[in-house]
Amino acid sequence: MKIVIGHKSPDTDATCSAIVYAELNNAEARIMGPLNKETEYALKKFGAEPPKIWKGEGDEFILVDHNESEQSIGDYSKVIEIIDHHKIKIETEKTIKVHVEPLGSTCTIIAQKHFEKLTKKQAGLILSAILSDTIVFKSPTTTKTDIEIAKRLGEKIETNEKEYGLELKKAGMSLEGMSVEQIIKKDYKEYTLQGKKFFIGQVENADLKETLNIKKQLLTEMKKMNYDYVLLMLTDIIHEITELLIIGNETKIGKVFGKIVKENSITLPKVLSRKKQVVPQITKQFS
Ligand code: MG
Ligand code: MG
Ligand code: MG
């Protein structure tokens, strides 16, 4: 069985790229954990079934929206292909097919190649992933290609892409009924840098006040986690600002961004993207 699978802590891009690419390749889509609210909303809207959670099955794998081992299935010997928009950090034993481009989402890469073949459902899923990853084109990871393809997809499914983007983000940002731990783990990536284990999470919000209200509880929970560094980006996507909560060597992280850490946090105006505005800066400091 051939499986298309996205990263741990699945987001809309990881899930939708797996669903669509599996359908295009006669393979099966899997996810690495439960869906977040935003992805659930997108799948429901376009009538897609949530993929099954991966339990170790499969003979051949196509990795989408990730390539680093910390975020993956563990065994690279069965990986035959990778489609991604993150920096490459792998070594393989044999030659495999790799398609990586610095675009706003993995789904943009898939749409670029297979636009004419896409059904309305697939077009809706791909559009959702582009809007999600680019934070409705506000993230600095957004490219002209993302905007162009989203526009064409919007036309294809007769949807105003910006309006739908805000609707999708709104559905995903609700913290209602979530525990502090669930909020921290809503969207996270793990990295190992200089032998130190990093957890970098992100919580998107329409107003920082809501998350800053529970800053103390968040920090208490973050301290309990088994990492050298636990970082949590509280990102206000409307006012385009991130409050970064830091557990670990706080001074060292503060220095990365030229800030003095106060009560375990720093304010980062215009920072929206973990991939482009946080991870590379930290990687540089720890290499
Ligand atoms: Mg992703
Ligand atoms: Mg992505
Ligand atoms: Mg993301």
Side-chain angles (χ1 to χ4, degrees):
M1 181 171 45
K2 200 197 288 179
I3 284 181
V4 186
I5 192 163
H7 53 78
K8 289 179 188 168
S9 180
D11 57 14
T12 302
D13 192 27
T15 307
C16 293
S17 56
I19 295 173
V20 174
Y21 206 62
E23 287 178 357
L24 294 170
N25 282 277
N26 220 346
E28 289 213 25
R30 290 288 187 274
I31 44 177
M32 297 269 246
L35 294 181
N36 65 36
K37 285 182 193 167
E38 184 198 277
T39 313
E40 252 172 24
Y41 185 87
L43 266 53
K44 221 178 195 171
K45 172 140 186 142
F46 295 104
E49 283 296 315
K52 286 184 195 152
I53 292 180
W54 183 62
K55 298 243 158 62
E57 69 278 18
D59 314 302
E60 288 184 315
F61 291 87
I62 299 172
L63 308 183
V64 286
D65 198 34
H66 75 291
N67 67 80
E68 298 186 27
S69 60
E70 278 104 330
Q71 294 157 23
S72 199
I73 53 170
D75 179 8
Y76 278 79
S77 64
K78 293 177 182 171
V79 174
I80 56 164
E81 183 177 349
I82 295 173
I83 307 177
D84 194 10
H85 66 132
H86 295 87
K87 73 176 157 64
I88 288 283
K89 203 194 161 187
I90 49 156
E91 204 178 318
T92 55
E93 285 162 23
K94 53 182 194 298
T95 309
I96 63 169
K97 208 168 151 184
V98 176
H99 189 155
V100 176
E101 277 190 65
L103 294 173
S105 77
T106 300
C107 274
T108 313
I109 301 173
I110 296 173
Q112 235 182 356
K113 238 179 150 175
H114 305 281
F115 194 92
E116 300 309 325
K117 276 184 243 165
L118 299 176
T119 63
K120 284 201 168 175
K121 178 192 88 176
Q122 291 168 341
L125 295 176
I126 294 227
L127 177 62
S128 304
I130 298 173
L131 294 165
S132 168
D133 264 19
T134 63
I135 317 187
V136 198
F137 314 129
K138 281 188 177 186
S139 168
T141 56
T142 311
T143 67
K144 263 189 202 155
T145 309
D146 298 299
I147 297 170
E148 258 169 45
I149 290 203
K151 197 165 180 273
R152 284 172 64 201
L153 290 164
E155 279 160 12
K156 189 171 175 126
I157 60 170
E158 290 153 44
T159 298
N160 178 305
E161 64 276 11
K162 273 196 180 159
E163 273 170 30
Y164 169 57
L166 294 175
E167 174 191 322
L168 176 72
K169 279 291 163 193
K170 218 170 133 194
M173 287 188 303
S174 160
L175 301 177
E176 222 182 283
M178 291 176 81
S179 69
V180 174
E181 195 193 345
Q182 282 170 329
I183 293 171
I184 295 169
K185 293 187 179 165
K186 204 171 176 243
D187 168 15
Y188 72 91
K189 299 263 165 77
E190 291 169 306
Y191 305 90
T192 306
L193 303 167
Q194 283 186 335
K196 304 276 185 216
K197 270 187 81 186
F198 279 75
F199 173 104
I200 309 183
Q202 184 170 29
V203 183
E204 290 174 355
N205 217 273
D207 192 343
L208 260 185
K209 278 178 211 139
E210 193 188 352
T211 41
L212 283 177
N213 268 340
I214 56 162
K215 182 179 165 183
K216 268 204 178 119
Q217 291 98 300
L218 291 168
L219 285 169
T220 306
E221 192 64 37
M222 286 161 69
K223 272 180 201 151
K224 291 186 205 156
M225 294 166 66
N226 196 19
Y227 294 86
D228 298 297
Y229 286 86
V230 179
L231 308 181
L232 189 63
M233 297 170 68
L234 306 177
T235 301
D236 179 334
I237 68 166
I238 304 295
H239 306 95
E240 303 185 27
I241 188 165
T242 286
E243 188 73 19
L244 182 68
L245 307 193
I246 308 161
I247 297 292
N249 184 339
E250 289 118 45
T251 321
K252 195 163 179 181
I253 299 295
K255 255 190 208 153
V256 172
F257 299 96
K259 301 268 179 185
I260 293 169
V261 182
K262 279 188 201 135
E263 289 163 7
N264 294 86
S265 81
I266 52 176
T267 308
L268 303 172
K270 295 276 162 209
V271 169
L272 294 177
S273 167
R274 170 175 45 206
K275 187 176 93 149
K276 199 160 184 168
Q277 296 170 298
V278 174
V279 175
Q281 289 75 0
I282 291 176
T283 307
K284 206 175 155 201
Q285 180 73 24
F286 285 82
S287 62

